[in-house]
């Protein structure tokens, strides 16, 4: 019975991270992927690979804020998976991890993109918040 349930779940979720069996891990990785994709959107505009689009850039920043806000809830269960890059230190330093997620959220919420010149500083600020967490809590 358990086997059948697991199999049908796996066949339902064949989008990104299809190799990740644990649905909790998959959800938190998907949130991080959204954050990464948003940073890529900004990065392309900074490099001139995409035309500056204030609304698209702001939407990307807003996505970062929303996923950062969701991170504490998504990461709270101490789950793992062979594909996960999350370090056990997260759950040993839970309050600090939450503080770092909130820092990213607050940073993103404080960013308003109105001109192409806003992109570089925005990426710098956001990037610092990514690094602060990844350096301690991600492989
Ligand atoms: C509060 C901590 C924290 C912050 C802040 C954070 N991350 Fe992460 N991130 C993680 C952890 C932990 C993982 C590993 C998750 C796993 O594999 O289970 C991760 C994984 C990722 C991944 C890989 C996702 C995948 O598909 O496996 C990307 C991309 C990523 N983060 C991008 C970013 C970017 C860009 C930022 C900043 C804008 C950011 N993260 C901010 C903790 C954080």
């Amino acid at each position: 019975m358990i086997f059948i349930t697991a199999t049908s779940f796996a066949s339902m979720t064949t989008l990104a991270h299809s190799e990740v069996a644990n649905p909790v891990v998959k959800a938190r990785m998907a949130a991080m992927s959204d954050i990464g994709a948003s940073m890529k959107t900004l990065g392309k505009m900074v490099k001139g690979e995409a035309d500056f689009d204030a609304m698209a850039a702001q939407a990307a920043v807003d996505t970062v804020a929303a996923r950062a806000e969701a991170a504490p809830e998504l990461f709270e269960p101490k789950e793992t998976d062979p594909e996960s890059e999350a370090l056990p230190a997260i759950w040993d330093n839970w309050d600090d991890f939450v503080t770092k997620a909130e820092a990213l959220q607050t940073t993103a919420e404080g960013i308003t993109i109105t001109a192409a010149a806003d992109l570089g500083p925005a990426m710098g600020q956001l990037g610092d918040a990514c690094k602060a967490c990844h350096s301690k809590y991600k492989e």
Side-chain angles (χ1 to χ4, degrees):
M1 213 28 209
I2 288 163
F3 175 76
I4 290 162
T5 308
T7 308
S8 46
F9 181 78
S11 62
M12 271 165 23
T13 52
T14 47
L15 292 169
H17 301 113
S18 54
E19 71 283 9
V20 179
N22 185 322
V24 174
V25 174
K26 190 178 249 188
R28 74 193 187 203
M29 285 167 87
M32 278 296 153
S33 290
D34 282 356
I35 291 178
S38 300
M39 289 294 271
K40 213 174 234 175
T41 298
L42 300 176
K44 280 189 179 160
M45 290 183 204
V46 168
K47 285 186 255 169
E49 290 169 13
D51 291 337
F52 174 66
D53 176 337
M55 266 172 61
Q58 189 64 51
V61 171
D62 293 349
T63 297
V64 173
R67 298 301 179 271
E69 184 176 14
E73 201 180 326
L74 291 171
F75 278 89
E76 193 169 21
K78 191 179 177 181
E79 299 278 348
T80 193
D81 184 279
E83 295 295 324
S84 177
E85 296 172 312
L87 294 175
I90 291 170
W91 297 281
D92 296 336
N93 304 277
W94 179 247
D95 291 349
D96 181 57
F97 183 84
V98 170
T99 299
K100 287 177 165 48
E102 288 171 351
L104 176 59
Q105 181 191 345
T106 307
T107 301
E109 284 174 353
I111 291 172
T112 307
I113 306 282
T114 52
D118 297 330
L119 292 170
M123 285 198 77
Q125 275 181 284
L126 293 170
D128 285 347
C130 316
K131 247 179 275 159
C133 190
H134 286 185
S135 63
K136 269 183 93 171
Y137 300 121
K138 180 175 173 288
E139 273 174 22

